[in-house]
Amino acid sequence: MTTTARRLLCCTAHPDDESGAFGGALLLAHQQNIETTLICLTAGQNAHFRAGADSDEDLARLRRKELADACQVLGVTRHQVLDYTDGHLAHENFHAIVGTLVAHIRRWRPQIIFTFGGDGGVNLHRDHIIMSLATTAAFHWAFRPEFFPEQIGVDFQGERLQPYRPQKLYYSSTPFVSVRNHPELDGAPTVPWSASIDLGPLGDRKFEAFKRHTTQQGVIQRVGPAIHEHFKYERYLLAAAPGLLNINDDPGLFEGIQPDP
């Protein structure tokens, strides 16, 4: 069983999500000696930008390596890429996705969980929306033994699973919307924020992590120089926490954590 005082789980859909949406918070967590686990549901094999990959399998292999490189830059403690199909999460068994995330929560026991908001992030991606919904359900169900009772007491990645209650759920808030070939969506509704982080010099470090995803450099070219400016800060919405909490009273992303019982 992990004994690190503070632990964070970041749930994403594709390689590069961790850097573009959450890289600053992951860097700050590393600076504060917070254990960080990243779960990425797909290898991003159906991406529009392919960098000459001959097949989906080749692209998936490249993107897994890029993710590992980016996680090293961000100081992520551990990461895992699952085998769901990029672009098709809306057609997967939702209950099964939630169960997978619940198992990881029960294994790694994070007090803090990050994921996308229900808008789908900067590109309004359907996979991001499913990631948000599934992570939200997993956050609330991981503590309840009536959900996925077959997991209880079973060895999973070296840990016998027991119900676990995470304490804080945050959604990332996108600084802008940019959907390829759909400029009419630029004003789409997005998730508000309750916490804003000025990354300072860490913004450059976050950008360096994003650039490790070399197959996706077309994203930078499409969005333009604005992406570097937006990488200087991140915003999050506190979506769930114990007690009758006014989100304006949140002491900070990594603060207010109670010791595990």
Side-chain angles (χ1 to χ4, degrees), residues 125-139:
H125 201 297
R126 289 174 296 176
D127 283 355
H128 297 168
I129 295 172
I130 297 302
M131 189 78 255
S132 177
L133 298 174
T135 304
T136 301
F139 176 92

Side-chain angles (χ1 to χ4, degrees), residues 19-249:
S19 299
F22 307 99
L26 291 170
L27 283 165
L28 287 170
H30 176 66
Q31 284 189 342
Q32 297 186 32
N33 296 317
I34 297 171
E35 179 183 280
T36 52
T37 301
L38 172 70
I39 299 299
C40 181
L41 285 190
T42 84
Q45 64 267 44
N46 290 330
H48 173 74
F49 298 105
R50 305 184 65 83
D54 294 329
S55 65
D56 289 353
E57 292 74 18
D58 285 343
L59 183 59
R61 177 180 53 79
L62 290 171
R63 299 200 70 186
R64 286 175 183 269
K65 175 61 166 60
E66 291 169 353
L67 177 59
D69 291 345
C71 284
Q72 187 170 22
V73 174
L74 297 173
V76 172
T77 307
R78 68 184 63 83
H79 74 278
Q80 185 173 355
V81 182
L82 305 185
D83 293 322
Y84 289 95
T85 303
D86 178 21
H88 293 271
L89 293 185
H91 304 287
E92 298 281 357
N93 183 316
F94 180 77
H95 189 263
I97 294 176
V98 176
T100 297
L101 297 177
V102 165
H104 281 89
I105 292 171
R106 290 171 173 171
R107 167 62 182 92
W108 298 112
R109 301 167 64 83
Q111 299 104 338
I112 308 161
I113 296 180
F114 288 166
T115 193
F116 288 101
D119 52 9
V122 64
N123 58 358
L124 307 182
H125 201 297
R126 289 174 296 176
D127 283 355
H128 297 168
I129 295 172
I130 297 302
M131 189 78 255
S132 177
L133 298 174
T135 304
T136 301
F139 176 92
H140 291 288
W141 292 358
F143 183 62
R144 299 173 59 180
E146 68 268 29
F147 289 103
F148 309 103
E150 70 279 3
Q151 295 180 358
I152 306 303
V154 173
D155 182 86
F156 178 75
Q157 298 183 357
E159 178 71 26
R160 290 199 176 277
L161 300 186
Q162 295 296 329
Y164 181 77
R165 182 177 64 186
Q167 298 179 36
K168 301 176 81 175
L169 173 65
Y170 284 100
Y171 295 152
S172 65
S173 175
T174 179
F176 61 96
V177 170
S178 178
V179 182
R180 186 171 57 88
N181 297 329
H182 288 282
E184 73 278 6
L185 295 177
D186 288 357
T190 56
V191 169
W193 68 86
S194 57
S196 183
I197 308 172
D198 184 344
L199 298 176
L202 288 181
D204 291 334
R205 190 70 172 163
K206 169 181 173 174
F207 193 56
E208 179 60 33
F210 189 81
K211 290 192 297 183
R212 296 299 176 97
H213 295 277
T214 56
T215 62
Q216 303 306 298
Q217 293 308 297
V219 175
I220 297 177
Q221 296 171 11
R222 181 174 65 83
V223 177
I227 191 171
H228 201 173
E229 181 67 25
H230 286 299
F231 270 21
K232 295 179 180 179
Y233 61 89
E234 288 178 2
R235 292 168 173 167
Y236 293 91
L237 174 66
L238 178 62
L244 299 176
L245 177 69
N246 185 321
I247 59 174
N248 294 322
D249 297 331

